[in-house]
């Protein structure tokens, strides 16, 4: 705590407990009140409920100050956010009373903003298509990592904005906040997103896809080949330029959240072993179409390539920690192809 409590200019407590919520511990200053009920020695307060009232009043005023600063001096607020935004995110996860006000103060980069520039959730919704009922976000270590992955392709093809989140705490923020202005937060790697209901694709000249039977047969082959490593393999229209991606069937357990949970285990692994993932393939991608043909002519090589596709998708999702096996397999594929 950095706010001292005074009564009529007399110091009562240099570090008063509960005067401010923990997430405001970066604030420095004094609170001076003439109405504090003190005991005879004037060393402590008689009524702790007054501290609770002061907590609510000061917190509300401080949040109002930040809201005004964000509207009138956005550059100044952006500088504040870069230094103290982590505390406000902490507030979202711990302070239900002020959560709605704190959500208005959050700032993130997005697929619509320039690098280094941020947007508020309210501005995000102001640009959303009329039929959009959710706020989409993607987590990653950097902007380049997010934009080079497969998850953004379908959103870009439909001009749907996605928020970029770089810090591990952002996953907890989204899970605790759940929604903003009745729009649920949804990770863009979720498998049940229906983007066609929001906006059509802007790209009309698309390569021809595998027919339904060929797609289903290839999915069955990949599922059988990868065995317990995948829970399901399906063909998807969400992919544009990538052959495959891992999607999240559980909205509360995104790829980044799974990675964090794995890191929290002392033995370095998930309880019960590495869980299977849900894999989606792009039936329009040349690699996938060639794999469908290779399945009949060289099943062994097709199986090795299927495993490579899975590991590539794991790497894009941030779930591949040891790439050594993938690298060796890549050499094996190159050796087989060069021998033909």
């Amino acid at each position: 705590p950095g706010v001292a409590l005074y009564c009529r200019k007399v110091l009562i407590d240099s570090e008063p407990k509960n005067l401010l919520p923990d997430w405001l511990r970066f604030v420095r200053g004094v609170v001076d009140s003439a109405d504090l009920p003190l005991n005879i020695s004037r060393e402590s307060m008689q009524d702790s409920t007054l501290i609770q009232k002061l907590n609510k009043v000061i917190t509300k005023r401080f949040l109002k100050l930040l809201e005004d600063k964000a509207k009138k001096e956005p550059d100044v607020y952006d500088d504040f956010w870069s230094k103290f935004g982590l505390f406000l995110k902490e507030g979202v996860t711990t302070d239900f009373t002020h959560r709605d006000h704190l959500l208005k103060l959050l700032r993130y980069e997005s697929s619509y903003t320039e690098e280094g520039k941020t947007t508020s959730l309210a501005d995000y919704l102001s640009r959303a298509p009329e039929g959009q009922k959710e706020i989409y976000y993607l987590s990653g270590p950097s902007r380049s990592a997010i934009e080079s992955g497969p998850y953004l392709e379908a959103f870009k093809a439909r001009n749907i904005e996605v928020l970029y989140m770089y810090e591990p705490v952002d996953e907890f923020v989204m899970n605790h906040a759940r929604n903003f202005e009745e729009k649920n937060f949804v990770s863009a790697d979720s498998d049940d997103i229906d983007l066609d209901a929001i906006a059509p694709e802007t790209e009309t000249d698309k390569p021809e896809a595998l027919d339904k039977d060929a797609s289903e047969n290839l999915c069955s082959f990949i599922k059988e080949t990868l065995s317990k490593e995948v829970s399901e393999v399906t063909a998807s229209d969400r992919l544009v330029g990538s052959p495959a991606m891992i999607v999240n069937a559980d909205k509360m357990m995104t790829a980044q959240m799974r990675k964090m949970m794995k890191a929290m285990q002392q033995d370095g692994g998930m309880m019960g072993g590495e869980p299977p993932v849900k894999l989606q393939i792009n039936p329009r991608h040349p690699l996938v179409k060639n794999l469908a043909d290779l399945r009949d002519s060289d099943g062994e090589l097709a199986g090795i390539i299927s495993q490579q596709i899975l590991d590539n998708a794991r790497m894009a999702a941030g779930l591949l920690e040891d790439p050594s096996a993938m690298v060796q397999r890549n050499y094996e594929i190159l050796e087989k192809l060069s021998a033909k």
Side-chain angles (χ1 to χ4, degrees), residues 3 34 40 51 80 88 105 115 121 151 153 183 192-193 208 211 220 229 244 249 251 264 268 276 295 306 310 329:
V3 178
I40 296 177
I51 285 288
F80 164 84
L88 303 189
L105 295 170
E115 185 172 359
L121 298 179
Y151 300 105
E153 295 176 355
K183 305 286 187 180
D192 58 349
I193 297 176
E208 184 178 354
D211 60 55
S220 298
E229 295 185 68
K251 291 184 177 181
M264 291 170 63
R295 179 178 65 90
S306 298
L310 173 62
R329 190 184 311 107

Side-chain angles (χ1 to χ4, degrees), residues 13 52 69 162 177 206 222 235 246 259 289 304 329:
D13 194 343
Q52 298 176 8
K69 189 69 67 175
V162 178
K206 297 190 296 185
I222 295 175
I246 290 172
K259 187 177 180 181
K289 290 191 284 187
I304 298 174
R329 190 184 311 107

Side-chain angles (χ1 to χ4, degrees), residues 19-231:
L19 181 62
L20 288 177
D22 287 341
W23 56 269
L24 278 180
R25 59 187 176 276
F26 65 91
V27 176
R28 300 293 180 264
V30 299
V31 174
D32 193 352
S33 174
D35 301 322
L36 298 181
L38 306 177
N39 60 20
I40 296 177
S41 66
R42 302 185 71 179
E43 293 178 353
S44 61
M45 294 181 56
Q46 291 179 343
D47 187 3
S48 61
T49 59
L50 185 58
I51 285 288
Q52 298 176 8
K53 293 179 181 178
L54 284 172
N55 181 304
K56 293 180 181 179
V57 171
I58 298 171
T59 303
K60 185 177 180 180
R61 287 188 180 181
F62 188 77
L63 290 175
K64 182 64 167 59
L65 171 68
L66 293 181
E67 288 181 18
D68 291 342
K69 189 69 67 175
K71 291 178 182 178
K72 298 176 182 178
E73 300 179 74
D75 292 339
V76 175
Y77 180 76
D78 287 343
D79 184 58
F80 164 84
W81 172 258
S82 66
K83 295 181 176 68
F84 301 103
L86 186 63
F87 293 95
L88 303 189
K89 293 177 183 180
E90 179 186 338
V92 174
T93 66
T94 59
D95 192 341
F96 178 79
T97 302
H98 302 101
R99 184 169 295 166
D100 291 341
H101 292 285
L102 287 165
L103 287 173
K104 296 178 182 178
L105 295 170
L106 297 183
R107 296 292 185 271
Y108 293 104
E109 289 188 33
S110 80
S111 55
Y112 274 27
T113 67
E114 299 177 4
E115 185 172 359
K117 300 294 183 180
T118 60
T119 183
S120 66
L121 298 179
D123 288 341
Y124 172 96
L125 290 180
S126 70
R127 296 186 292 264
E130 185 177 351
Q132 183 174 334
K133 299 179 180 179
E134 297 168 321
I135 298 174
Y136 300 108
Y137 68 91
L138 272 173
S139 298
S142 65
R143 186 184 184 100
S144 60
I146 292 175
E147 293 185 337
S148 62
Y151 300 105
L152 201 61
E153 295 176 355
F155 294 88
K156 278 190 172 182
R158 296 167 175 80
N159 290 323
I160 298 175
E161 187 173 7
V162 178
L163 298 174
Y164 296 164
M165 303 188 175
Y166 307 136
E167 297 175 336
V169 70
D170 290 323
E171 291 281 351
F172 293 102
V173 171
M174 295 298 101
N175 286 338
H176 281 81
R178 299 295 182 90
N179 63 75
F180 175 74
E181 294 186 1
E182 299 182 352
K183 305 286 187 180
N184 292 332
F185 293 107
V186 175
S187 178
D189 66 356
S190 298
D191 70 329
D192 58 349
I193 297 176
D194 185 9
L195 297 180
D196 290 328
I198 302 173
E201 285 191 66
T202 55
E203 180 64 42
T204 56
D205 186 18
K206 297 190 296 185
E208 184 178 354
L210 289 171
D211 60 55
K212 183 178 179 181
D213 290 339
S215 291
E216 291 178 352
N217 290 335
L218 180 59
C219 289
S220 298
F221 170 79
I222 295 175
K223 175 66 175 70
E224 182 179 352
T225 300
L226 301 179
S227 186
K228 297 180 180 180
E229 295 185 68
V230 293
S231 60

